[in-house]
Amino acid sequence: MSVKLEKDTVLETVSLLLFAAVQATGEATYTPGLSSLTVGLEAARAEVLNLLPSGHSFSEKSHHLAETAEAGERSVLEVLESAWKLVSELPVEPGLTELVVEISNLLREARHVGQPSL
């Protein structure tokens, strides 16, 4: 039971981090590939939300974890690195492996686009 709670908290935190990254790309000066990166970030966030139980409410703990992570990061790339690390530490199960791969691809894309600031 505690593993499920931990997994949900991690997914909530990753969702909030991806949301911050989407906002940052939306406010960034246009560079080639930025639109594609934004669409990818939105898709990854939707995937995270689909992994959470229906009607799920976010906990205060995940908001705190996301705020703490965002405070130390200054770019979309750093947010994606934090999100990747959180998700990759979860036990392997359907949906999570795909999410790790998707975030890895977004990291590669973010490196090519540049680093919009948060």
Side-chain angles (χ1 to χ4, degrees):
M1 183 87 166
S2 66
V3 171
K4 182 179 181 351
L5 191 62
E6 184 175 329
K7 174 188 157 201
D8 288 353
T9 301
V10 167
L11 290 174
E12 291 170 8
T13 304
V14 169
S15 173
L16 293 167
L17 289 171
L18 290 171
F19 181 72
V22 167
Q23 287 184 314
T25 59
E27 296 169 2
T29 303
Y30 175 79
T31 56
L34 187 62
S35 296
S36 174
L37 177 60
T38 302
V39 169
L41 290 167
E42 290 171 341
R45 184 164 187 263
E47 192 173 325
V48 171
L49 293 173
N50 284 333
L51 292 171
L52 289 167
S54 172
H56 183 79
S57 297
F58 281 44
S59 68
E60 280 299 312
K61 184 176 183 179
S62 64
H63 282 282
H64 176 71
L65 289 170
E67 287 170 5
T68 301
E70 285 175 38
E73 290 144 0
R74 297 182 179 30
S75 72
V76 170
L77 186 60
E78 291 170 323
V79 167
L80 284 170
E81 287 170 346
S82 291
W84 181 86
K85 185 176 183 202
L86 286 167
V87 173
S88 66
E89 291 176 358
L90 289 173
V92 175
E93 63 180 71
L96 291 178
T97 303
E98 293 85 354
L99 184 59
V100 170
V101 170
E102 189 168 347
I103 292 174
S104 295
N105 291 338
L106 287 168
L107 270 165
R108 193 171 20 262
E109 194 172 341
R111 286 185 185 107
H112 288 125
V113 169
Q115 297 191 27
S117 298
L118 294 183

